[in-house]
Amino acid sequence: MTDSTHSRMPRHSTTFVGRTSEQNALEAALATNRLTFVIGPGGVGKTRLVTSVLAKGYDNTDTAAGSTYFADLRQVTGVGEFCARIAEALGMRDGSAADSVSVIDFARELKGLLLLDSCEGIDRESQQCLQELVWAATGLTLVATSRRVLRVDGAELMTLSPLPVPSAEGDVTAAQVDNFDAAKLFADRARLLSPTFEIADSNAAALARLLHGLDGLPLAIELAAGWVRALSLQQIIDRMNARPDFPRGDSTSLHPRHRTLQTLTEGSFQLSTEAEQLLWCRLTVFAGTFDLSAVEAVCSSAPLREADLLDHMASLVDQSIVIVDNQGAHARYRLPRLIRDYGNQHLDERDDRDQLVRRHFDHYENRVQLAAHSFRDSGPEEGTAQLLIDYANIAVAIDYGLTDSTLHGVSARMATDLWHFWFATGQLTRGLEVLERVLAATSGPSAYRELAYCVAAYLYLLQDNLRYAERLVEHAAEIQAVSRDPLNRAFAMQLAGMIAMGYGRTVEASPLVDASAELYRSLEGSFARELYLDTTGVAVMCAVFNGDTDRATVLAEHGLAMCEESKDYFWRGYIELVLGIASWVSGDHEGARGAAIRAMGYTADQLLTTHCVELLAWCAQSARTYIRAARLFGGADRMWQFLGGSFSGFRMVVAYRDDSIRATREHAGERPFHAAYELGRHMTLAELVAYAIETEMEPDDSGLTVLTRRELEVARLVADGLSNRDIAADLTISQRTVETHVEHILSKLGLENRTRVAAWIHARTPATG
């Protein structure tokens, strides 16, 4: 082999960290295929992975008996230079003058492995030469690294993705973060410069945010780790947010293209066609992930045609510029931070940013409206799932509307339309942040501001922040004098009644709640009907605490009948919950437990679920199963904290809760109580729900109430032997949604597999015929 820098195998002074499954996959590919492509974005570690596998050897006797050759194909400009680089790598004399015929003839007799590094720039003629080399040189195994897919027959394609990273949200521990190879790589490289660096609970959250911001890209992680001597983790994050070319490196061991991430991205941009570059820039308007329909709606203006967008997207995916995240039945796409920042820098010189952002706003406004209608017509589950994956873009759209006075009302409506979403996902604090931005950015006595005040007041009320809720209702009342909107007036009266109940003034609350219910009944529209059902539950609670059990029963039966008639299981769940609380207060603890389990089974609403877990903790205490009660209290408190506060209930209910937890602590003993409580706090929501409803169930119909209506439908079809695909077709939902329902069924019932689900259903279904 010559001593050319283009034919010298790369050497590394640092250890190779992680990528165990990828190493195994590459070893298997090299053992069974003549040509393997390792595809991935710049800086993802393609060359490092291949050289690490070659360094430790792999199970391929023929290749192991031969030599290993390396050809660096960076900046190759044509087939002549392509052949010259390969000739140098193979050790041909006067390789610089070699052509494709001489290279292929020389390679026919060779045995071993040829690594072709950085193939993304080679042209079509060079790819044809590579194809002929594969056919002729049967003693050579070839492996090529590239940022884009090359068109060569018979190649196995191995896509190398960035390293998985820990969640950047919530509290994380050192142990949780250290489970990720991305964190291990950062720590390994950081210790080279700062030997005392350790992943600890004190820096785990910052490291998780940093790794998330680096998109798990190994080169970016190594460059960031090089700054731990001079900057804290948070300072590195701040610097990254302020400067798109940060982190950068100046080590002489780095190739110039690896000293800044910006250089890598520029190279990818230059490899793209003009249409692909324009689409790349337009895609930067999206936040988080997005789907193809969003791309077509937002990015299909001249000179790009909607009919061509899929081809352009596929090419950007092939070049590792766009990352595919499969979520459910439809592929989701995203741009890594560095790619997004680079495209955003070049957007203004290539397109009209304002028009693009407005199309993005219009698209996600429509998405929110569709989800709101879906929520009201089909329940929260499917609408919530779509809003969750679209939320980053929805938040960006709302904020954009707040910058344009002509769109203030639209943004406000989007925010208030999300009120179901805040309930169902338990993200009350996030909802308040959005609504407060809406109220701060808008002014004047408009109906949409009045509604925003009411929805924000409701969320504060649910967090037991009565003072803020009261203040916002007063602001809404001031606007009411001008807006004269009857629905908002009813909403404000309902909230005033709930606030009075929160303070324990149930006699004062009752007429306010009743008046709001009467006004709702006189109005048309699904929103008025929803609020009427909500108010019915509040009226039941008010009657219970006023000692009027007959009125409470009549109101509850009326509300349940309306829910049954309209198939509204969302509000039925809340009415069942109130009945459960009423049963517990009256001493019917078993009835309270049954109501809580039924309520939990209607929807996946996290606020309702948390209330039900709380009530089941009271029931466990009443049944003298104190360790179980302590565990449920721990799980409930963790959920209340997630929702943005402590126990969310009216003040007179809090007294019952305090008595129940005090009795649990006294009878269980301090140490057993604490141990069980902490165990509950560390349960996932699915684990907590499964534990809360756990019981020895006899095979009768009552056990079916554990499942939601849709879960029961899925369970029965599973029992009929249908596959997930067949169930999806039968129910007209996505296969991924079916898979999620099956997971929930197994979790709720504590069953191991689909066969057990079938047996469970058959045991509870009377035989026919």
Side-chain angles (χ1 to χ4, degrees), residues 563-600:
C563 291
E564 186 62 32
E565 180 182 347
S566 60
K567 304 300 180 185
D568 191 327
Y569 295 96
F570 179 80
W571 292 112
R572 177 172 186 136
Y574 277 98
I575 295 174
E576 289 274 16
L577 169 68
V578 173
L579 282 174
I581 294 174
S583 296
W584 190 87
V585 169
S586 65
D588 181 7
H589 303 141
E590 195 56 41
R593 186 177 187 280
I597 291 177
R598 285 195 301 275
M600 200 183 312

Side-chain angles (χ1 to χ4, degrees), residues 553-564:
T553 301
V554 170
L555 287 171
E557 289 176 351
H558 171 66
L560 292 175
M562 284 192 65
C563 291
E564 186 62 32

Side-chain angles (χ1 to χ4, degrees), residues 688-707:
L688 180 63
V689 169
Y691 181 75
I693 65 175
E694 188 178 80
T695 184
E696 290 295 322
M697 290 181 291
E698 297 297 324
D700 57 28
D701 288 342
S702 63
L704 300 177
T705 61
V706 172
L707 305 179

Side-chain angles (χ1 to χ4, degrees), residues 630-632 634-636 638 675-684 688:
R631 192 165 171 181
L632 290 173
R638 177 179 175 274
Y677 182 90
E678 287 301 313
L679 186 60
R681 281 188 61 84
H682 287 86
M683 296 174 80
T684 66
L688 180 63

